[in-house]
Amino acid sequence: MRVAIVTVGDEILSGDTVNTNAAWLCEQLNDRGVDVGRITTVPDVVADIARVVNEYRAEYDAVIVTGGLGPTHDDVTVDGVAAAVGRSVEPHETAHEWLTEHGGYAAEDLVGGTTDLPAGARMLPNEAGVAPGAVVEGIYVFPGVPTEMKSMFEAVADEFSGEATYTTVVDVDEPESELIDRFEAIRERFDVTVGSYPGDSVRVKLTATDEAVADEARHWLSERVELVDGAVDREQA
């Protein structure tokens, strides 16, 4: 399964808010074997949201959109998603019922527009907040507040799955530029993807769909590089 993530918010683009939602979602999706192909941040502009979401829904199995839900003037994500799929925005009866029957809100206390969603969308209850999310034509719309986003994703997490992968990590005490020949050799010898992340040391990630292959590649590389401390971690996604 291939997924694109779209985060919405002027506050992210201005640097006022750190985009932790995208990082958390990538970690959760990766753990489920899902391939995240894009992370894009767009402003609170209907046309921009619609354009990016429409493009990604044609290329990916699902699109996750976070941020910009609610009844205030800059909460325009629902309008943008509705425009992307050619649907109108209208009050959602199920969302209204959930908020008044399970959310603890009286109908007269709900701000106008709170329950507006794309026509025909599946409503996602907001167990940690007010504004409901939605699913429409493979587009999952979550709130931007991290606690609300996490709660809503976890409720539908089983709808995201992919092929399990196995990752081994080797910390190398050599300059990255001097490892190029060994990177080429390991890619030719093993069916693995190689990620190289320099810092105080070079963190080399070897990922394969077969755990034995990942282990063999790690062992092969470890014998041909200068290790920082010999520590090797394995992660499964």
Side-chain angles (χ1 to χ4, degrees):
M1 185 177 191
R2 299 178 67 242
V3 170
I5 297 172
V6 179
T7 55
V8 180
D10 294 340
E11 70 279 7
I12 298 174
L13 293 170
S14 67
D16 291 335
T17 298
V18 177
N19 191 0
T20 59
N21 283 351
W24 186 88
L25 284 167
C26 285
E27 181 180 7
Q28 300 304 308
L29 292 166
N30 183 69
D31 287 346
R32 305 186 69 82
V34 176
D35 177 23
V36 178
R38 291 285 187 277
I39 302 173
T40 299
T41 300
V42 296
D44 296 304
V45 177
V46 173
D48 289 344
I49 298 168
R51 175 177 51 80
V52 172
V53 170
N54 188 51
E55 175 185 343
Y56 288 169
R57 76 186 186 96
E59 299 178 8
Y60 294 89
D61 299 309
V63 180
I64 295 177
V65 184
T66 71
L69 296 189
T72 61
H73 70 282
D74 57 350
D75 291 325
V76 296
T77 295
V78 167
D79 296 280
V81 170
V85 296
R87 302 194 185 196
S88 60
V89 174
E90 58 187 39
H92 198 286
E93 183 178 347
T94 303
H96 186 274
E97 290 178 356
W98 191 90
L99 281 170
T100 54
E101 295 179 11
H102 302 283
Y105 294 90
E108 59 271 17
D109 293 334
L110 293 175
V111 178
T114 299
T115 61
D116 287 357
L117 296 174
R122 168 162 58 107
M123 187 273 295
L124 298 178
N126 189 339
E127 300 282 357
V130 181
V135 182
V136 56
E137 297 190 26
I139 304 164
Y140 290 74
V141 185
F142 300 146
V145 178
T147 54
E148 298 179 23
M149 182 276 297
K150 293 176 181 179
S151 174
M152 196 171 290
F153 173 82
E154 288 167 354
V156 297
D158 288 344
E159 298 178 26
F160 298 88
S161 63
E163 185 176 21
T165 59
Y166 301 87
T167 298
T168 60
V169 180
V170 181
D171 287 320
V172 182
D173 194 16
E174 298 181 44
E176 184 182 37
S177 59
E178 296 182 6
L179 298 170
I180 294 175
D181 59 337
R182 279 156 288 180
F183 290 162
E184 292 177 351
I186 198 171
R187 292 173 60 197
E188 292 177 358
R189 188 180 184 92
F190 300 96
D191 186 14
V192 296
T193 58
V194 180
S196 176
Y197 309 98
D200 293 334
S201 61
V202 179
R203 187 168 181 262
V204 182
K205 292 182 63 176
L206 307 172
T207 303
T209 57
D210 186 310
E211 185 175 16
V213 171
D215 282 341
E216 290 173 9
R218 180 265 305 170
H219 181 71
W220 184 92
L221 181 63
S222 296
E223 291 186 333
R224 291 164 174 79
V225 297
E226 184 176 344
L227 300 176
V228 172
D229 55 14
V232 177
D233 298 325
R234 181 183 298 115
E235 302 170 354
Q236 177 178 338

